[in-house]
Amino acid sequence: MTEDAGNLADGEARDPAKVLGVLAKEVWLFRWEKRLTYMSLGIVALFYAVLLGFIFFGHVRMCAGGGMFFFESKPHTVADIPVIVALSTVPTLILIALLRYFHHREKKESEEPLPLSAQAAIELVKAVNSGNKQ
């Protein structure tokens, strides 16, 4: 999906401006979905990193000085459970929402003219599929 001088609408469509408009919308949607995915995965990774840090390093204390070294750890308490649940639930919900978006989004059928090569490909696929069903 690049914006080169030679494009798909040249010489194949009844109205190249409409085809270029559709292609521009598709390029924008592709870029938006790519940014959405990267942002969501970054937030999920941040939440899981904070969760692992809280679980493994949240209750560890270490002191070092001249001739002494002190290390202490204590177990998690009941008061830590809501923090752990929140830090694990939020990224899970973000991942579920992202997967549902990509699974359930509808590609609307455009009423704008397609290039002749695309129309021929669609008709060929329909013909092959109807031949396989019989």
Side-chain angles (χ1 to χ4, degrees):
M1 296 186 125
T2 62
E3 297 174 12
D4 294 336
N7 54 45
L8 295 174
D10 286 343
E12 293 189 13
R14 288 181 221 125
D15 189 3
K18 286 185 179 180
V19 175
L20 285 176
V22 171
L23 291 175
K25 288 178 187 176
E26 287 295 320
V27 167
W28 178 86
L29 182 64
F30 174 77
R31 289 181 181 158
W32 183 83
E33 288 174 344
K34 186 177 174 183
R35 286 192 303 262
L36 173 72
T37 303
Y38 286 155
M39 178 73 85
S40 300
L41 292 178
I43 292 171
V44 166
L46 176 72
F47 266 91
Y48 280 135
V50 170
L51 175 65
L52 290 175
F54 181 78
I55 289 174
F56 292 115
F57 303 117
H59 293 282
V60 174
R61 294 187 187 115
M62 183 172 42
C63 296
M68 93 168 180
F69 179 75
F70 179 71
F71 180 78
E72 173 192 13
S73 69
K74 63 179 184 172
H76 290 282
T77 62
V78 175
D80 295 335
I81 292 174
V83 175
I84 293 172
V85 168
L87 287 174
S88 62
T89 302
V90 170
T92 304
L93 292 176
I94 291 173
L95 284 175
I96 290 170
L98 188 66
L99 291 172
R100 285 181 58 93
Y101 170 77
F102 282 114
H103 182 72
H104 291 293
R105 71 183 170 120
E106 294 180 12
K107 293 287 258 182
K108 59 182 176 181
E109 296 293 327
S110 67
E111 297 176 6
E112 298 178 19
L114 293 173
L116 294 176
S117 58
Q119 291 175 357
I122 290 171
E123 291 175 11
L124 181 64
V125 168
K126 286 180 182 177
V128 168
N129 285 341
S130 66
N132 289 339
K133 291 180 183 178
Q134 294 174 357

